[in-house]
């Protein structure tokens, strides 16, 4: 039987790479659309250089994929960046960059994927947001982009449900990747202390949920936001 195709963005490292590797175990064919080349060679993961914030890159990538593969089973929008600062020190460039990669990039990839999935009458879309969609100081750009991904996903789920396409969101909390490794140690410790379980998650924690959502047995889950954050989304720990 031929392998089902999953397109994942930003899988050259971090959470995206962990998801891609987990999906290989599920016997999916995995394509990684990333602006940077993979740090390590995973020969089973096909790499296409693509800046998801550029319409021309996304269109070209999908044209290439369509010329090579008859169907797309699923798409995971994972590519994301941060440019943190308090609003009074944040430049318009840092606001626009984050919105363009995180939100516009997700929208562009969803648009191209849906055109194909509609014709197949099947598809699963997973968009990676963040617990920060609920609000994080220093992240007005990032929180807005991630809350935007939820609105986009809910609207899209309503538009494409009749074509047997589902759209769900995973909202990770604090996860150990390069993104969090680059934080000053005292800031990272403060974030860990603010966790209900005083811990940090692994990229594999997100990968497991992506695998679950792509399983045909979970087809009835649609339009949902699944927090994978050690309980941080509950609110403040005060005791
Ligand atoms: N690490 C965390 O604690 C955490 C928490 C919540 C949400 N997230 C989200 O999870 C996703 C992955 O985060 P990560 O920690 O693995 O980050 P990361 O920085 O380790 O990896 C991000 C990947 O996205 C790629 N990318 C960046 N801009 C791109 C673009 N314009 N086009 C295509 N690819 C691009 C990068 O090259 C990289 O491979 C992001 O959307 C992030 O916002 C991460």
């Amino acid at each position: 039987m031929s392998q089902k195709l999953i397109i994942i963005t930003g899988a050259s490292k971090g959470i995206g790479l962990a998801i891609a590797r987990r999906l290989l175990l599920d016997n999916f064919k995995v394509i990684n659309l990333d602006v940077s080349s993979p740090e390590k060679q995973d020969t089973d993961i096909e790499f296409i250089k693509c800046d998801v914030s550029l319409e021309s890159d996304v269109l070209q990538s999908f044209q290439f994929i369509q010329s090579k593969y008859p169907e797309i089973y699923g798409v995971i929008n994972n590519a994301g960046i941060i440019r943190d600062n308090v609003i009074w020190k944040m430049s318009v460039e840092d606001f626009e960059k984050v919105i363009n990669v995180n939100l516009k990039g997700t929208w562009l990839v969803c648009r191209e994927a849906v055109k194909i999935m509609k014709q197949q009458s099947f598809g699963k879309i997973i968009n990676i947001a963040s617990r920060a969609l609920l609000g994080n100081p220093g992240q007005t750009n990032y929180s807005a982009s991630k809350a935007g991904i939820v609105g986009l996903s809910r609207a899209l789920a309503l538009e494409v449900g009749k074509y047997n396409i589902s759209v769900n969101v995973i909202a990770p909390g604090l996860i150990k990747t390069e993104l969090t490794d680059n934080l000053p140690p005292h800031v990272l410790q403060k974030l860990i202390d603010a966790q209900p379980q005083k811990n940090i998650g692994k990229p594999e924690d997100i990968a497991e949920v992506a695998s679950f959502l792509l399983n045909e047995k979970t087809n009835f889950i649609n339009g949902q936001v699944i927090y994978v954050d050690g309980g941080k989304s509950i609110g403040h720990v005060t005791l």
Side-chain angles (χ1 to χ4, degrees), residues 31 217 220 232:
I31 294 181
K217 291 180 183 164
F220 205 48
K232 183 76 198 315

Side-chain angles (χ1 to χ4, degrees), residues 61-97:
S61 302
F62 272 83
Q63 259 167 22
F64 175 74
I65 292 166
Q66 257 198 305
S67 71
K68 220 172 144 188
Y69 299 96
E71 278 184 353
I72 299 174
Y73 179 84
V75 165
I76 304 177
N77 281 294
N78 163 80
I81 58 165
I82 52 172
R83 294 282 187 280
D84 295 354
N85 218 330
V86 284
I87 197 167
W88 56 93
K89 291 182 185 167
M90 189 180 285
S91 65
V92 168
E93 287 74 21
D94 281 347
F95 178 79
E96 286 180 346
K97 182 78 187 152

Side-chain angles (χ1 to χ4, degrees), residues 86-118:
V86 284
I87 197 167
W88 56 93
K89 291 182 185 167
M90 189 180 285
S91 65
V92 168
E93 287 74 21
D94 281 347
F95 178 79
E96 286 180 346
K97 182 78 187 152
V98 168
I99 296 291
N100 282 342
V101 175
N102 299 5
L103 183 56
K104 182 183 163 199
T106 298
W107 182 87
L108 280 170
V109 171
C110 281
R111 188 183 68 176
E112 295 318 304
V114 158
K115 287 177 189 169
I116 298 165
M117 288 173 172
K118 255 180 90 211

Side-chain angles (χ1 to χ4, degrees), residues 9-17 32-37 50-54 77-82 97 100-102 128-132 142 146 149 170-180 200 203:
T9 68
S12 287
K13 62 180 179 181
I15 292 172
L17 178 58
N32 165 30
L33 303 187
D34 201 305
V35 73
S36 310
S37 305
C50 171
D51 179 343
V52 295
S53 67
L54 298 178
N77 281 294
N78 163 80
I81 58 165
I82 52 172
K97 182 78 187 152
N100 282 342
V101 175
N102 299 5
I128 306 293
S130 166
R131 202 270 335 152
Y142 184 75
K146 295 301 189 178
I149 285 176
I170 300 175
L174 193 61
I175 304 291
K176 188 170 169 27
T177 65
E178 231 172 77
L179 199 136
T180 43
I200 183 164

Side-chain angles (χ1 to χ4, degrees), residues 134-207:
L134 298 173
N136 246 7
Q139 294 196 316
T140 48
N141 50 359
Y142 184 75
S143 291
S145 74
K146 295 301 189 178
I149 285 176
V150 173
L152 181 171
S153 304
R154 288 168 59 98
L156 186 58
L158 294 174
E159 283 183 15
V160 299
K162 60 177 174 245
Y163 303 109
N164 196 26
I165 302 168
S166 66
V167 188
N168 288 294
V169 174
I170 300 175
L174 193 61
I175 304 291
K176 188 170 169 27
T177 65
E178 231 172 77
L179 199 136
T180 43
D181 286 346
N182 287 336
L183 292 169
H186 72 281
V187 173
L188 183 61
Q189 193 53 51
K190 249 176 125 173
L191 292 172
I192 293 173
D193 290 344
Q195 289 281 123
Q197 297 172 318
K198 315 293 173 203
N199 57 358
I200 183 164
K202 304 181 295 302
E204 290 74 19
D205 294 325
I206 308 304

